[in-house]
Amino acid sequence: MKTFNIGELSEKSGMASHAIRFYEREKLMPEPARTESNYRRYPEDAIARLQFIIHAKQWGFTLDEIRELLMLQDANGDRAEAKRIAREQLEKIREQIRSLSRIETVLSKTLKECSGEGPMDGCPIVEAIGREK
């Protein structure tokens, strides 16, 4: 079985070495085998696992949620749990979209109202940001 040192794994996965070590400490990556000189040696499937972590982070999953999904995958767990986690993430994303849409509406309106000239006092952009909740 082919194995990689941390530098090779970093290059192949697109993740920095210090991030790989962080995910090991966070128990998202299994403890790698060690050489007699105590160097880490990673199996080929570590690349796919790191890419899963990268994608899950891009999708907005927290480290705890990623850990839970990986534990389910490792144990061939229940799909219902994965679906629950994904459903909760989708609701968070939808709320972020609603929030960003409100912000976009207010910002667009205040940009039209602001002349872009004169003193800051009474600037509709600054006032709108101060009111935003």
Side-chain angles (χ1 to χ4, degrees):
M1 173 192 348
K2 181 155 177 60
T3 62
F4 305 100
N5 66 35
I6 197 163
E8 293 166 329
L9 182 63
S10 173
E11 184 178 312
K12 291 186 179 297
S13 68
M15 186 177 286
S17 297
H18 69 275
I20 295 169
R21 287 190 288 273
F22 170 78
Y23 291 129
E24 285 176 28
R25 287 191 303 273
E26 290 295 317
K27 307 294 186 213
L28 297 176
M29 292 293 293
E31 186 72 29
R34 300 276 184 156
T35 66
E36 288 182 20
S37 305
N38 206 29
Y39 289 107
R40 292 171 169 90
R41 295 303 297 180
Y42 297 90
E44 281 187 275
D45 63 356
I47 298 166
R49 192 173 184 101
L50 287 172
Q51 290 173 338
F52 177 90
I53 293 168
I54 290 167
H55 295 147
K57 284 178 54 71
Q58 289 170 342
W59 288 20
F61 287 99
T62 66
L63 291 183
D64 286 338
E65 291 164 337
I66 296 169
R67 184 179 301 105
E68 192 172 353
L69 287 169
L70 288 168
M71 286 174 26
L72 286 167
Q73 185 178 16
D74 292 345
N76 196 22
D78 188 1
R79 285 186 187 183
E81 282 301 302
K83 188 172 182 175
R84 176 192 58 78
I85 294 165
R87 186 180 305 115
E88 290 171 3
Q89 181 59 19
L90 180 59
E91 187 50 44
K92 287 186 232 172
I93 290 168
R94 286 179 173 158
E95 180 52 40
Q96 289 172 333
I97 291 169
R98 286 189 291 270
S99 178
L100 287 171
S101 181
R102 285 189 300 270
I103 292 167
E104 189 264 346
T105 299
V106 171
L107 189 54
S108 179
K109 179 179 181 270
T110 59
L111 280 169
K112 290 176 186 170
E113 293 172 353
C114 182
S115 67
E117 298 173 358
M120 284 298 293
D121 189 39
C123 175
I125 296 169
V126 173
E127 289 179 356
I129 293 169
R131 286 191 309 266
E132 188 63 25
K133 293 182 181 189

